[in-house]
Amino acid sequence: VAQAEHFEIVDRPLPSPEQGEVLVRNSFLSVEPAMRGWIADIGNYSAAVEIGAVMRSLAVGHVVESHSPDYLVGDALLGWFGWQQYSIGNSGNIIGRIEHSDLPLSLSLGVLGLTGVTALLALTKIGDPKPGDMLVVSTAAGSVGSAVGQIGRMLGCRTVGITGSDEKVALCREAFGYDAAINYRSGDLDAALAATCPDGVDIYFDNTAGSISDSVLRHLATFARIVNCGTASISDWTNWPTGPRVERHLLVKRARMQGFVIFDHMHEWPAAVRQLAQWVRSGQLRYEEDVLEGIEAAPDALAGLYRGENKGKRVIRL
Ligand SMILES: NC(=O)c1ccc[n+]([C@@H]2O[C@H](COP(=O)([O-])OP(=O)(O)OC[C@H]3O[C@@H](n4cnc5c(N)ncnc54)[C@H](OP(=O)(O)O)[C@@H]3O)[C@@H](O)[C@H]2O)c1
């Protein structure tokens, strides 16, 4: 994982927007586990961030200068604005105007942004949740995981969260409504899964891969669905890790495993955000935020995610 010393904070003159562009003052920058992949030189679903380039990131901010007919000064925008205080926004990097002005702006990076939309779409499209299904979620107290557990519960699933500390187990139970939660760092995960899912796992929402998933796959129910959303437990794909083969589990249980990448579903983003915002307003969808202060916090922010420091969505407030 990239550590603080691999990033550099650089001062540059304020950029000037050209015709069709806006200048955005960023208020919150996102910190994503996926950033580890974006800066790796091994192939990914998106081009690698070059050495010396601005760190790719979603951010939310306000337009402070507009040369675009589409945006006014004061508009709140979500976009790929990078880890910077000010950014040029244009048709290439703006995702859209933030419409839900009654809710905190930072939520557009979390429960009303990439992680919430991923939770909703990946669970419903690939997980195919049905009332009574047993849903197991890894990184259960994180930004994606906490939303998956709650949405699954709203759809009638029984939910079990897997997470990395007793404090997060309590958060899963008390804030995010999981029926049960397991600390994978303490004790025997297999035994805990056998006890909490005696009839097997119908949906496994996998954010970690690795040994956590190896355990869950031993407890699948017939016709289980595995949502392959993240690989947080594998730190290095240059030395491709090996593990138990999955084919026998899939065959015997007639299970289906499918990858999900949010960038295939951007056309569904606005409708998903409207649904998520409605649940947030009604109190049915709760969230936690882990807010770091200032651009100075950025260099160590990614490594901290992989130390498991965050509860909920990690953002940087500027
Ligand atoms: N496919 C997509 O389109 C898409 C979109 C967004 C996010 N994702 C993926 O969804 C997952 C969760 O993302 P998020 O933004 O919500 O992050 P998050 O869960 O809020 O934070 C990352 C969490 O990963 C866990 N973790 C770190 N190192 C680990 C390890 N070695 N083994 C097991 N768990 C470890 C930690 O939780 P614990 O303390 O519980 O271990 C940490 O808090 C990530 O894998 C991310 O890449 C995928």
Side-chain angles (χ1 to χ4, degrees):
V1 181
Q3 302 296 314
E5 66 264 28
H6 299 119
F7 294 92
E8 192 181 7
I9 297 180
V10 178
D11 282 316
R12 290 211 189 123
L14 207 58
S16 301
E18 295 180 358
Q19 197 50 40
E21 295 185 330
V22 295
L23 181 65
V24 179
R25 183 170 59 220
N26 293 320
S27 303
F28 291 92
L29 310 177
S30 190
V31 186
E32 314 283 348
M35 286 173 164
R36 186 172 64 181
W38 300 345
I39 57 178
D41 53 12
I42 187 169
N44 196 331
Y45 49 82
S46 53
V49 178
E50 299 292 323
I51 292 174
V54 172
M55 183 58 208
R56 180 185 302 150
S57 170
L58 288 167
V60 290
H62 290 93
V63 175
V64 291
E65 186 180 337
S66 178
H67 298 269
S68 160
D70 300 326
Y71 303 106
L72 299 173
V73 169
D75 278 356
L77 300 184
L78 167 68
W80 293 98
F81 299 143
W83 275 357
Q84 350 185 50
Q85 290 166 313
Y86 288 85
S87 312
I88 294 293
N90 55 37
S91 59
N93 63 2
I94 294 172
I95 293 180
R97 199 183 280 104
I98 297 167
E99 308 289 358
H100 40 81
S101 55
D102 56 320
L103 296 169
L105 193 60
S106 57
L107 300 193
S108 294
L109 298 177
V111 68
L112 304 181
L114 184 84
T115 54
V117 174
T118 294
L120 176 60
L121 297 183
L123 177 64
T124 50
K125 284 172 180 292
I126 298 179
D128 190 20
K130 293 188 272 302
D133 277 348
M134 176 56 81
L135 165 64
V136 170
V137 184
S138 54
T139 71
S143 191
V144 172
S146 59
V148 171
Q150 294 177 85
I151 295 167
R153 201 156 191 274
M154 279 188 245
L155 298 174
C157 299
R158 295 168 290 157
T159 57
V160 174
I162 302 176
T163 186
S165 71
D166 290 342
E167 202 187 349
K168 290 188 187 183
V169 163
L171 190 66
C172 283
R173 298 276 291 117
E174 287 152 23
F176 304 135
Y178 282 93
D179 295 306
I182 302 168
N183 179 352
Y184 66 87
R185 292 184 201 273
S186 73
D188 182 341
L189 181 55
D190 265 290
L193 285 165
T196 50
C197 312
D199 302 323
V201 176
D202 298 296
I203 307 169
Y204 173 40
F205 197 104
D206 180 12
N207 285 323
T208 59
S211 61
I212 293 173
S213 299
D214 296 342
S215 291
V216 179
L217 261 64
R218 288 192 280 269
H219 297 271
L220 295 179
T222 46
F223 303 107
R225 285 83 67 197
I226 299 148
V227 185
N228 183 202
C229 178
T231 59
S233 80
I234 309 289
S235 60
D236 181 11
W237 290 99
T238 46
N239 302 307
W240 205 271
T242 54
R245 301 210 67 96
V246 300
E247 293 87 340
R248 193 73 188 160
H249 294 307
L250 301 185
L251 170 65
V252 171
K253 296 296 165 53
R254 288 85 92 198
R256 171 163 58 80
M257 183 182 235
Q258 188 179 338
F260 176 91
V261 173
I262 184 64
F263 305 131
D264 298 324
H265 305 272
M266 295 308 281
H267 56 289
E268 293 176 77
W269 184 291
V273 169
R274 279 195 295 277
Q275 171 65 83
L276 293 159
Q278 198 180 316
W279 282 331
V280 168
R281 287 191 189 99
S282 67
Q284 286 167 285
L285 182 56
R286 297 178 61 179
Y287 58 87
E288 285 282 326
E289 290 185 307
D290 170 75
V291 183
L292 306 179
E293 297 294 341
I295 195 89
E296 302 72 24
D300 193 42
L302 178 58
L305 273 187
Y306 285 99
R307 293 190 296 266
E309 285 171 1
N310 64 308
K311 291 199 275 302
K313 175 65 197 171
R314 171 160 279 198
V315 295
I316 300 165
R317 177 169 31 215
L318 298 182

